[in-house]
Amino acid sequence: MKIKTNILMIKLLIVVGFSTTILAHAQQYNKKNYETEGTINTNLKSQNKTLRLWYNEPTPDNDKGWVNRSIPMGNGYMGVNVFGGTATERIQITENSLYESDGDRGLRRRGLNNFSEVYIDFNHNNVSGYHQELNLNKGISSVEYEQDGVKYSREYFTSYPDKVMVIRLNASKKGKLSFTLRPTIPFLGEGKSGSVSAKSDIITLSGVMNYYKIKFEGQFKVIPQGGTMKATKSGTIKVSDANSAVVLIAVGTNYQLDPQVFLTNNPAKKLEGFPNPHDKVTKYMIEASTKSYEELLASHQADYKELYDRVNLNLGAVEPMIPTNELVDAYPTGDSSRYLEELAFQYGRYMLICSSRKGTLPPHLQGIWNVYERPPWSSQYLHDTNLQMAYAPVFSTNLSELFESYVDYFKAFEPRQRLYATQYVKQYNSEQLDVNGDNGWSGPFWSNPYSVPGKSPVAGFGTGSWISLLFWDYYDYTRNDSLLADKVYPVLYNQANFVSRFVKNVDGVLLSNPSSSPEQKLRNTIGTTFDQQMFYENHHNTLKAAEILNRSDARLATYKKQLPLLDPIQIGKSGQIKEFRQENYFNDIGDPNHRHSSMLLGLYPGQLINDKTPAWLDAAKFSLIKRSHKTNVGWARAERIAMWARVHDGEEAYSYYKELLGENYMHNLFNDHRGDPLFQADANYGATAGVAEMLLQSQDYTIAPLTALPTTWSEGSYQGLLARGNFEVSAQWSNNHADVLEILSKSGGVLELKYPNVSKAIIKTKLGKTVVFDVVDSDCINVKTIKGDSYVITNIPKVIPVKAPTDLKIKNNTKATQILLSWNGITDAASYNVYRAVGNTSDYELIASKVVGTDFVCENSNLEKINQMMFKVTAVNNNGRESEKGAVGIWLLP
């Protein structure tokens, strides 16, 4: 239930006001540092504030408490939800391969299963001073309270290097720690069998999931300091009168990421020949137990912080005095909390670190967390947005190596998808079939750790090219040529191989047939924008990768010939980017307020629609306006943060971020999907990616910091965001203007930098050496960078943006060759420029400049041969600066 109180509002206002004052003083101090002579002291690596979730009471011990309040942790090998109880602690464990059938034997959506419910009985029923928290900076959660004059504390972390969960239990007085550890196996029955036993200092939990013959095991080791310890026949360990104790937890199954799993049809034989997990789990436990708690913590911290600390975002918040549940409840009803906005950004990165690690399964719909026997949508991998959104922030927020988890998963299921590709080419375009089976691979709609089914009419065949888009980004952000050759290019090339054989010639263009736009009602049609844009992106990226690698593979010539025929963008009569080729006006077909915006994937996460295709960019903006705010689906809101950022509208992007935080985020910051509450992790990942797009863009290989900054974020800084070309970018701004930009060139090459008036800035290396650059125009420069060098941009003259004219009206004159344009002007305009784009063309042509007044007559003797045109009018001030935006309208042939 949302708490709304005046007290909360007062506390928030105090926090917001105080933070603004502190930031102002800090920026004044930093600005002086930037202006010193000699070595540049950017001071951008300021001390990170503590970002944490905290609560003054334990999580309710029920499923609602799990989804709304439990603290999530993870290391790829396991997901953990900590409740923080005092009478009894509950720790719920998920292992992503512990899967049951989700339909192929008549069962409805069982899917991922709850691995274990672990209880630690303390019998502390009269506590005071309770405090539970998750510290994002450290990747550690903790609980502390007082009972009968003794202060009790616990620390929890999940270590990727050591593959274990570690719990340390402490009492402030010697001999006062007593507890019983009792792991259990939930949902035992027809589909799952198992038992728990205890011997000496180890509890072993083991069993079988019957459908896929999954053997699972968990080991729980108790290491007390002082006191006594006893293992019981019921599978528990009781510790009495200890000073402190450490509990280690290791889990595993006999699952392996191997093509055998996906190529074997018999469920009972998918894991045949894979070893029992006992030896593996025992090895984890033995190796971890040889280390002290301090050594385990140091190993975890070194691994976690090396990833987490790469990026810092400071919007001027200070840590609030109210617990996180109250902070979340207060957010929608008053002045927004910058702290929650910073916290949510880093929380998405934290979740990705927890759920996507090399050697483990990638994050599913719920990341790496699940408490249910029948989880929502079976905790599957859905490849028509949700899986891609899980990885949306992995490159831009500087966590690129976390994508290796999906690389391994893809490598395991690709052989199955090659068989599907041959099947589909034979079924739909048999004359293009390679009889030897070299038909590339086809993308799935949904999958799980055991199955990648065939075609679904719910989504088009573009899912494969969307997957390969992630692989291209893996290279494009890291610029690792070995990675491109070994892991990326083969994926792109073989996806293009399938696409090139699958598309058909329809009226001179190459279209997908059949084709669907994800989850819209019109299915199995021809050439949806979703498929065509994704096919185009993949062909383009394949050819670009081949050029970089100097490849001459057999089908490259075919891809090059096909590329201009893939026809990725159709402009409709409303000025929108069509979703379907049969569509005329925006709301002709399907749900106009649909949660998916699949016709705009070339805008985001693709690169097809950008500043170098301004007519398409305006059409994309029109489509976004028409999609409206009516969706309450969390991941859709997160996706639109990024899409609005890509059209440079920070206010709209921020409005979706506010809606997401205010209406979809629960007390533990899990996303409730659509107010169910029904947890999906995709919006958490996607929100982080969306904020990153507001702060930095590079989709057209021009580095553009702060291009969608909302006015409410007037002051702040960030460090470590990653741009295409492997440029690491940091920025500090005040009064909505950049004070300092710092760019680390991690791979060398030419840096193209875009920011208003950047050509008049001072650029130096961090050692103070002046940098020479080439001016593209007043707002864009090129710098030849050296690998490993940082470039500091200061003293950028502030620009007062030129307002855009509005309300463009277009009508035909009585003279058949003339079109009359009129618009609402602005007081600062010295003149206006008039542009037009004919048909589906991506760019405007300038048809008139220095237009005085607010009307114009467009003369064209060939109007009868043109079906439609998009017009755009911009304003130009006395200094020659043109408005970034303009009044846009569509003309249709009468």
Side-chain angles (χ1 to χ4, degrees):
M1 181 179 295
K2 299 286 186 181
I3 302 173
K4 303 176 182 179
T5 68
N6 291 331
I7 294 175
L8 290 179
M9 292 308 308
I10 291 170
K11 289 180 178 178
L12 280 173
L13 288 170
I14 291 171
V15 167
V16 171
F18 184 53
S19 67
T20 303
T21 303
I22 285 181
L23 183 63
H25 286 301
Q27 286 172 332
Q28 274 189 339
Y29 172 76
N30 290 336
K31 190 171 182 180
K32 291 177 182 178
N33 284 340
Y34 301 144
E35 295 169 353
T36 58
E37 296 295 327
T39 301
I40 298 294
N41 175 20
T42 63
N43 203 28
L44 280 170
K45 293 292 182 182
S46 56
Q47 184 179 1
N48 290 348
K49 67 171 66 70
T50 299
L51 290 175
R52 61 179 182 144
L53 289 71
W54 72 275
Y55 311 92
N56 52 22
E57 59 184 7
T59 302
D61 187 9
N62 51 44
D63 284 353
K64 185 177 180 180
W66 180 91
V67 74
N68 185 55
R69 256 286 280 112
S70 67
I71 286 181
M73 308 189 77
N75 62 0
Y77 294 96
M78 70 178 89
V80 174
N81 291 78
V82 177
F83 284 66
T86 59
T88 296
E89 169 66 290
R90 175 185 172 190
I91 301 169
Q92 185 272 321
I93 299 175
T94 305
E95 203 284 345
N96 270 357
S97 68
L98 196 71
Y99 217 84
E100 177 61 284
S101 165
D102 59 358
D104 44 2
R105 68 167 183 167
L107 300 175
R108 278 295 290 167
R109 286 185 172 172
R110 287 203 172 175
L112 186 62
N113 202 269
N114 184 340
F115 186 92
S116 178
E117 296 282 359
V118 182
Y119 301 98
I120 309 176
D121 297 322
F122 296 103
N123 298 316
H124 293 161
N125 296 301
N126 186 27
V127 306
S128 61
Y130 182 89
H131 181 91
Q132 181 188 27
E133 76 168 56
L134 169 63
N135 186 309
L136 297 188
N137 304 66
K138 298 179 179 179
I140 298 174
S141 70
S142 60
V143 171
E144 58 183 35
Y145 56 87
E146 187 170 327
Q147 163 98 14
D148 297 332
V150 180
K151 292 182 179 178
Y152 293 93
S153 63
R154 304 173 216 152
E155 291 178 330
Y156 315 74
F157 60 88
T158 45
S159 169
Y160 174 69
D162 290 301
K163 305 178 181 64
V164 294
M165 181 182 188
V166 182
I167 309 169
R168 182 168 68 174
L169 313 172
N170 283 300
S172 63
K173 295 181 180 179
K174 291 184 177 181
K176 291 296 184 178
L177 178 65
S178 299
F179 63 90
T180 298
L181 175 66
R182 50 182 183 94
T184 66
I185 306 175
F187 306 126
L188 290 171
E190 177 188 356
K192 186 180 185 182
S193 59
S195 61
V196 182
S197 62
K199 184 179 181 180
S200 184
D201 59 354
I202 291 276
I203 301 174
T204 302
L205 172 158
S206 61
V208 177
M209 293 287 289
N210 296 331
Y211 187 67
Y212 292 119
K213 305 300 179 187
I214 308 169
K215 299 173 184 177
F216 62 90
E217 181 167 317
Q219 293 185 21
F220 306 79
K221 185 180 182 68
V222 182
I223 308 170
Q225 294 293 321
T228 60
M229 178 170 62
K230 180 181 180 181
T232 71
K233 293 181 179 179
S234 60
T236 69
I237 288 179
K238 185 175 183 179
V239 173
S240 301
D241 306 324
N243 305 325
S244 65
V246 171
V247 178
L248 303 180
I249 301 174
V251 304
T253 74
N254 60 329
Y255 180 86
Q256 291 184 9
L257 272 171
D258 189 288
Q260 169 188 314
V261 176
F262 300 99
L263 292 171
T264 303
N265 293 324
N266 185 338
K269 294 186 176 181
K270 284 180 177 289
L271 304 184
E272 194 171 73
F274 296 165
N276 188 294
H278 175 73
D279 289 346
K280 175 174 66 176
V281 176
T282 300
K283 183 173 182 288
Y284 297 163
M285 187 59 75
I286 289 174
E287 291 179 353
S289 62
T290 61
K291 300 180 181 180
S292 67
Y293 175 83
E294 289 73 21
E295 289 172 326
L296 290 167
L297 178 60
S299 177
H300 163 66
Q301 290 273 272
D303 168 72
Y304 174 81
K305 289 178 70 64
E306 201 282 323
L307 293 165
Y308 180 85
D309 285 352
R310 292 176 187 174
V311 171
N312 179 41
L313 173 62
N314 178 13
L315 299 175
V318 294
E319 193 171 350
M321 298 173 286
I322 56 176
T324 304
N325 54 307
E326 295 182 17
L327 184 70
V328 171
D329 287 340
Y331 183 83
T333 59
D335 284 8
S336 59
S337 166
R338 295 289 172 270
Y339 188 83
L340 183 59
E341 292 165 4
E342 293 178 12
L343 187 65
F345 170 78
Q346 290 286 25
Y347 190 73
R349 297 182 71 245
Y350 165 80
M351 289 175 66
L352 196 57
I353 295 169
C354 289
S355 61
S356 185
R357 305 304 295 263
K358 174 71 176 176
T360 72
L361 281 162
H364 51 73
L365 270 172
Q366 287 77 35
I368 196 173
W369 301 279
N370 170 58
V371 72
Y372 307 107
E373 182 182 21
R374 298 173 183 244
W377 293 284
S378 306
S379 292
Q380 299 173 119
Y381 303 110
L382 297 180
H383 287 84
D384 68 338
T385 283
N386 314 90
L387 184 281
Q388 288 88 342
M389 188 164 286
Y391 285 108
V394 73
F395 306 119
S396 59
T397 70
N398 217 339
L399 298 170
S400 299
E401 59 267 58
L402 298 188
F403 186 61
E404 283 292 325
S405 174
Y406 187 79
V407 172
D408 293 341
Y409 179 67
F410 174 86
K411 186 177 179 180
F413 78 65
E414 184 194 14
R416 166 61 76 180
Q417 295 308 115
R418 286 179 172 271
L419 298 179
Y420 284 132
T422 296
Q423 173 189 327
Y424 298 145
V425 175
K426 183 177 181 180
Q427 180 179 357
Y428 296 114
N429 204 8
S430 59
E431 64 272 18
Q432 294 296 324
L433 180 71
D434 183 285
V435 294
N436 296 315
D438 184 16
N439 297 292
W441 62 274
S442 171
F445 164 49
W446 68 266
S447 66
N448 63 45
Y450 297 86
S451 177
V452 185
K455 175 187 180 296
S456 169
V458 173
F461 283 91
T463 56
S465 293
W466 197 353
I467 291 168
S468 69
L469 186 63
L470 286 169
F471 279 82
W472 170 251
D473 286 351
Y474 193 14
Y475 164 74
D476 214 14
Y477 279 86
T478 61
R479 293 299 170 94
N480 183 322
D481 285 354
S482 296
L483 177 69
L484 179 65
D486 298 338
K487 295 184 178 180
V488 175
Y489 179 72
V491 174
L492 272 61
Y493 181 87
N494 287 300
Q495 170 60 195
N497 187 8
F498 167 68
V499 168
S500 66
R501 298 175 190 276
F502 177 76
V503 292
K504 295 180 180 178
N505 189 312
V506 179
D507 298 328
V509 292
L510 295 173
L511 302 181
S512 174
N513 184 10
S515 181
S516 299
S517 192
E519 303 186 37
Q520 282 278 21
K521 292 182 180 180
L522 177 60
R523 295 172 183 173
N524 290 329
T525 181
I526 297 175
T528 63
T529 300
F530 166 69
D531 283 340
Q532 299 304 131
Q533 285 187 8
M534 292 298 95
F535 292 171
Y536 186 96
E537 293 267 11
N538 186 74
H539 265 47
H540 176 272
N541 294 338
T542 303
L543 292 167
K544 193 169 183 179
E547 182 181 355
I548 294 167
L549 296 173
N550 197 26
R551 299 289 293 253
S552 57
D553 299 280
R555 292 191 65 81
L556 289 171
T558 299
Y559 307 160
K560 187 174 182 179
K561 183 179 178 181
Q562 288 185 340
L563 182 65
L565 302 177
L566 289 174
D567 200 26
I569 300 287
Q570 292 273 304
I571 306 297
K573 292 183 177 181
S574 299
Q576 85 281 17
I577 291 179
K578 291 183 180 182
E579 187 167 3
F580 300 94
R581 299 187 81 80
Q582 306 94 314
E583 175 185 328
N584 287 313
Y585 294 92
F586 181 83
N587 59 353
D588 281 355
I589 300 174
D591 179 3
N593 299 310
H594 201 274
R595 57 195 176 278
H596 286 265
S597 299
S598 302
M599 68 287 192
L600 298 180
L601 296 180
L603 171 70
Y604 177 85
Q607 298 174 257
L608 177 64
I609 304 170
N610 56 58
D611 285 352
K612 294 179 173 65
T613 62
W616 288 355
L617 200 67
D618 286 334
K621 184 173 183 178
F622 182 87
S623 297
L624 282 170
I625 292 170
K626 287 293 187 180
R627 260 305 189 252
S628 79
H629 283 261
K630 291 184 180 179
T631 184
N632 65 347
V633 175
W635 67 257
R637 283 172 163 164
E639 183 181 57
R640 290 179 202 178
I641 297 169
M643 287 180 168
W644 275 105
R646 285 279 176 99
V647 299
H648 311 311
D649 194 324
E651 304 310 318
E652 272 296 299
Y654 180 63
S655 72
Y656 275 101
Y657 192 42
K658 286 181 66 178
E659 286 179 4
L660 187 63
L661 297 184
E663 299 178 26
N664 294 93
Y665 272 39
M666 292 182 278
H667 288 165
N668 60 356
L669 302 195
F670 272 175
N671 156 58
D672 75 352
H673 181 51
R674 56 186 178 195
D676 299 296
L678 182 69
F679 165 52
Q680 281 190 200
D682 41 21
N684 292 104
Y685 303 124
T688 297
V691 170
E693 289 293 329
M694 295 167 71
L695 300 172
L696 177 67
Q697 294 179 26
S698 59
Q699 59 273 16
D700 57 359
Y701 300 103
T702 300
I703 310 301
L706 309 178
T707 188
L709 191 69
T711 54
T712 192
W713 291 352
S714 61
E715 299 173 326
S717 66
Y718 65 79
Q719 293 86 44
L721 293 180
L722 201 61
R724 293 179 188 275
N726 203 15
F727 292 101
E728 191 174 283
V729 181
S730 302
Q732 181 162 308
W733 67 94
S734 60
N735 298 317
N736 292 101
H737 176 72
D739 297 317
V740 182
L741 303 174
E742 183 179 323
I743 301 174
L744 169 63
S745 178
K746 300 175 74 174
S747 296
V750 175
L751 162 68
E752 185 170 309
L753 179 64
K754 182 178 181 181
Y755 192 81
N757 261 349
V758 71
S759 64
K760 299 176 182 178
I762 294 174
I763 303 181
K764 294 185 178 182
T765 66
K766 289 201 76 171
L767 296 177
K769 182 180 179 180
T770 299
V771 175
V772 177
F773 54 85
D774 296 325
V775 176
V776 178
D777 58 45
S778 62
D779 300 339
C780 187
I781 61 172
N782 286 338
V783 182
K784 294 178 181 178
T785 69
I786 298 172
K787 181 178 179 180
D789 278 3
S790 290
Y791 300 84
V792 181
I793 300 95
T794 60
N795 297 87
I796 307 171
K798 188 168 184 178
V799 170
I800 299 176
V802 180
K803 293 182 179 179
T806 59
D807 195 22
L808 177 61
K809 293 182 173 63
I810 305 171
K811 64 180 180 179
N812 292 299
N813 198 357
T814 53
K815 189 175 180 181
T817 60
Q818 291 182 342
I819 302 173
L820 305 181
L821 282 66
S822 62
W823 56 89
N824 291 338
I826 62 166
T827 56
D828 296 336
S831 63
Y832 299 92
N833 290 339
V834 181
Y835 300 86
R836 73 174 174 187
V838 179
N840 299 315
T841 187
S842 64
D843 199 1
Y844 290 106
E845 61 173 322
L846 178 66
I847 59 173
S849 61
K850 299 182 180 179
V851 175
V852 179
T854 57
D855 52 56
F856 177 75
V857 178
C858 174
E859 185 84 30
N860 193 315
S861 59
N862 296 317
L863 281 181
E864 73 279 359
K865 297 180 181 179
I866 300 173
N867 289 322
Q868 66 183 52
M869 289 187 286
M870 188 178 293
F871 286 94
K872 182 174 186 175
V873 179
T874 61
V876 180
N877 68 13
N878 287 320
N879 296 322
R881 177 166 289 276
E882 187 175 13
S883 61
E884 180 182 349
K885 300 175 182 178
V888 179
I890 192 88
W891 172 85
L892 304 174
L893 180 68

